[in-house]
Amino acid sequence: MALCSSARRSAILATHLPTYDFLLPCLLPRITHQNRHLSRSRRLYSAENDGAFANTSAKPLRAPKSAPEAASNPVPRNKPLTQAQRDFLASALRVNQAGELAACLIYAAQTPVVVVAHPHLRPLMKHMYDQEAGHFSTFNKLIAKHRVRPTAMYPVWKVAASALGWGTAIMGREAAMACTEAVETEIGTHYNDQVRWLLDMAEQMERSGEELGDDLKELIITVRRIRDEELEHLDHAVENDAQKAVPHELLTSFIRAGCRGAIWVSERV
Amino acid sequence: MVARTLLSRIRPLAARARLFSRTYHSYDHPPPPGPFSSTESSILSASLPHIPSHGFTLTSLSLGAKDAGYIDASTNLFPQGPFALVRYHLMTQRLGLAEKTDSLETAEGAKPMGTGAKVKKLTWERLMGNKEVVHRWQEALALMAQPSNVPTSLKELAALSDEIWFLSGDTSVDTSWYTKRASLSTIYAATELFMTTDKSPDYADTREFLDRRFRDVQIVGGAMGSVGQWVGFTASAGLNVLRSKGVRI
């Protein structure tokens, strides 16, 4: 019954807004997440594969409203965002920027140490670093545009992230990959929560006949794209023997706890 | 248990931090309503012309209420009394800065102004916004310094320096976000105080004072930047030397 109603809900949502096609991971977050862990699908790292990935994720389920349809529902007057909504958006952008800063620094610190011992990992490390650098500049621009205060812990995260990256790289390739696995698992969950919140907000505004606005629509698409890329890094890490790190359970749970703490702090300060 | 007591201590801190934080600025949605309702705003804006002669006092407020067509007793709308007048002045002057950004555009072909020059220009524009009331400004400063009003005043000062940096097109979002706003707030507050005692024509002394403060900050900031750069360079060079010797770090 519950499953049926949730399926109906997603069907209704899908017909309302093109962006709802990625509600699926929100309805079934645990299942999809576990699948990612369990399925050892060898997704080869190649440019062709990347293109296919981007294609499927960017394709909306339903085309946007046709012109006459849009004309019959004139755009209603916009209301200001509520304090709760603005607070959420501000803290979300702030914590995302801090997270991407940390990710960039972790990869930057890991790369030289890992690459000396395992030259075949150079393209993978470069690919992951480049994506993180792209995310970082995306959030930098968004923060500046929407006048959000960056986190006050900026220098602390810089030192902590570099130390984490360097420390795990010294422990070996497996530990470095376990670090990536732990960080990207937390970040993926975190981005998923954000997407869910944003979609709830979109649904509420849709219901009360408000326009979501281009910035928020774009934000949803951006966060979703970045989440997919982060989870792709998680797959790469698992493919590269992350789970063979020696105290794997200890190492990942320590790093994940650290990530959660850092997210908690960055949302506030 | 310890964690809980710690949490309960942190929470008020976080609430206080929010006071100074800017929240999400939307371009698709109208801004949230300000602190004053339309009635209050009409009374306050009618009171502004009375400030040069009656100061930041209840007299100005009740004269303004009369001008706006309300009875004298409507000043009871403002539990903070004359501080509401100060706050309204600060707010309108701050929001008015956005209209003065035209002066930042240089003629076609000329070199565009740098961010620093824009900040200087806007700070000066804001100081000139106090020109009409500067002989009464010490009353306002006294009101702002009252303990119950200090949080609002500081928030307004932070909002002003944020506005100036934003309008100047600054997009830095690292630690310098904080240092820039803090230094501009200090400069502005000092210069504003200096201006209340300035008797020189066209506030030439204030202008010089402001230029000196900006120069000081540039020197200190430049020195800090150089030290940081040197430390970073030396550290990474040392690391690379060790790596070139085959040390696995």
Side-chain angles (χ1 to χ4, degrees):
Chain A
M1 181 60 207
L3 192 71
C4 177
S5 69
S6 69
R8 233 180 57 207
R9 183 163 156 260
S10 68
I12 292 166
L13 295 178
T15 55
H16 275 277
L17 201 73
T19 45
Y20 274 123
D21 62 328
F22 50 96
L23 192 65
L24 196 66
C26 313
L27 291 171
L28 308 164
R30 287 295 133 208
I31 298 168
T32 45
H33 208 72
Q34 272 167 9
N35 278 349
R36 276 184 179 280
H37 263 301
L38 296 176
S39 75
R40 290 286 169 83
S41 66
R42 296 249 152 209
R43 189 192 293 149
L44 288 172
Y45 159 60
S46 73
E48 185 203 350
N49 208 319
D50 260 12
F53 195 66
N55 257 341
T56 49
S57 62
K59 197 173 139 199
L61 257 186
R62 192 174 175 278
K65 276 182 190 171
S66 60
E69 210 182 328
S72 62
N73 302 326
V75 178
R77 237 189 90 242
N78 269 345
K79 278 193 287 192
L81 296 172
T82 64
Q83 181 70 38
Q85 285 168 340
R86 284 182 299 126
D87 282 351
F88 174 83
L89 288 167
S91 75
L93 287 181
R94 174 161 53 247
V95 74
N96 292 355
Q97 186 222 16
E100 298 301 345
L101 164 79
C104 278
L105 290 171
I106 288 175
Y107 286 126
Q110 278 180 349
T111 304
V113 185
V114 169
V115 161
V116 164
H118 307 277
H120 71 281
L121 287 177
R122 189 188 294 275
L124 174 64
M125 296 301 286
K126 182 172 170 7
H127 168 73
M128 297 204 289
Y129 174 79
D130 287 349
Q131 281 193 335
E132 298 295 357
H135 302 168
F136 184 46
S137 79
T138 306
F139 283 119
N140 277 346
K141 279 184 205 130
L142 279 173
I143 282 211
K145 181 181 174 192
H146 294 292
R147 308 181 65 171
V148 175
R149 177 178 63 88
T151 172
M153 304 290 276
Y154 204 93
V156 178
W157 299 150
K158 262 168 107 167
V159 173
S162 303
L164 176 65
W166 187 76
T168 50
I170 286 289
M171 288 165 71
R173 177 180 67 108
E174 290 85 1
M177 289 298 162
C179 169
T180 304
E181 184 201 351
V183 171
E184 303 291 11
T185 308
E186 272 319 310
I187 297 239
T189 318
H190 172 73
Y191 278 134
N192 246 346
D193 290 344
Q194 268 182 21
V195 171
R196 201 171 307 149
W197 202 97
L198 286 169
L199 287 175
D200 274 348
M201 183 174 119
E203 189 196 343
Q204 273 173 19
M205 289 174 86
E206 189 89 340
R207 217 184 285 139
S208 63
E210 274 178 84
E211 186 85 344
L212 189 59
D214 290 341
D215 281 344
L216 286 175
K217 275 181 196 160
E218 214 178 295
L219 179 67
I220 295 179
I221 292 168
T222 308
V223 173
R224 183 183 61 144
R225 174 180 59 83
I226 290 179
R227 176 204 58 195
D228 289 346
E229 287 176 0
E230 303 290 0
L231 291 176
E232 186 200 320
H233 297 176
L234 171 62
D235 286 356
H236 289 317
V238 174
E239 280 160 23
N240 282 286
D241 303 332
Q243 292 174 344
K244 287 188 190 150
V246 177
H248 175 258
E249 205 57 41
L250 186 70
L251 194 62
T252 47
S253 45
F254 176 74
I255 295 172
R256 287 179 62 171
C259 282
R260 277 198 295 272
I263 288 174
W264 188 87
V265 171
S266 301
E267 276 173 350
R268 285 157 181 82
V269 203
Chain B
M1 185 61 206
V2 177
R4 181 146 304 169
T5 39
L6 201 71
L7 267 184
S8 63
R9 287 216 185 136
I10 289 174
R11 224 164 259 149
L13 266 181
R16 215 168 301 151
R18 239 176 68 172
L19 191 74
F20 297 100
S21 78
R22 307 237 9 144
T23 52
Y24 184 86
H25 175 84
S26 177
Y27 294 87
D28 298 322
H29 302 265
F36 299 113
S37 69
S38 59
T39 318
E40 288 167 350
S41 300
S42 66
I43 294 179
L44 286 167
S45 63
S47 315
L48 287 183
H50 296 288
I51 293 175
S53 40
H54 298 278
F56 290 91
T57 54
L58 275 178
T59 321
S60 301
L61 258 185
S62 54
L63 286 172
K66 222 179 278 172
D67 288 354
Y70 297 97
I71 54 168
D72 287 3
S74 47
T75 52
N76 286 334
L77 275 174
F78 308 102
Q80 292 167 312
F83 181 65
L85 209 49
V86 179
R87 195 176 174 193
Y88 186 77
H89 172 78
L90 293 173
M91 234 179 63
T92 44
Q93 287 295 330
R94 168 166 59 87
L95 296 176
L97 275 183
E99 288 153 24
K100 292 181 183 154
T101 46
D102 310 343
S103 62
L104 298 178
E105 304 295 330
T106 42
E108 238 173 89
K111 204 169 136 249
M113 272 169 108
T115 310
K118 285 183 183 174
V119 168
K120 249 186 222 179
K121 178 115 189 163
L122 281 173
T123 311
W124 184 249
E125 290 284 350
R126 173 61 191 87
L127 282 168
M128 286 301 106
N130 283 355
K131 211 157 67 176
E132 303 299 319
V133 296
V134 74
H135 58 288
R136 296 285 191 172
W137 193 244
Q138 287 184 347
E139 295 168 22
L141 289 175
L143 284 168
M144 282 192 264
Q146 278 177 20
S148 58
N149 298 336
V150 164
T152 318
S153 316
L154 286 179
K155 198 180 166 189
E156 196 54 49
L157 181 62
L160 173 67
S161 50
D162 182 69
E163 183 84 7
I164 291 178
W165 279 109
F166 177 75
L167 292 177
S168 309
D170 178 64
T171 55
S172 61
V173 282
D174 47 8
T175 319
S176 71
W177 189 93
Y178 290 92
T179 51
K180 279 175 176 170
R181 276 151 184 80
S183 51
L184 181 61
S185 300
T186 341
I187 291 175
Y188 177 78
T191 317
E192 198 184 56
L193 189 61
F194 182 87
M195 195 179 160
T196 57
T197 57
D198 186 7
K199 297 277 182 279
S200 59
D202 278 341
Y203 301 100
D205 288 353
T206 310
R207 179 98 228 194
E208 272 171 35
F209 182 86
L210 183 68
D211 286 345
R212 279 202 301 276
R213 295 289 82 76
F214 271 116
R215 221 174 303 135
D216 292 350
V217 165
Q218 268 163 7
I219 291 168
V220 172
M224 298 271 282
S226 305
V227 169
Q229 212 176 359
W230 180 80
V231 168
F233 176 78
T234 312
S236 71
L239 201 63
N240 285 333
V241 166
L242 286 177
R243 276 179 186 153
S244 73
K245 300 280 177 209
V247 186
R248 288 266 164 98
I249 49 171

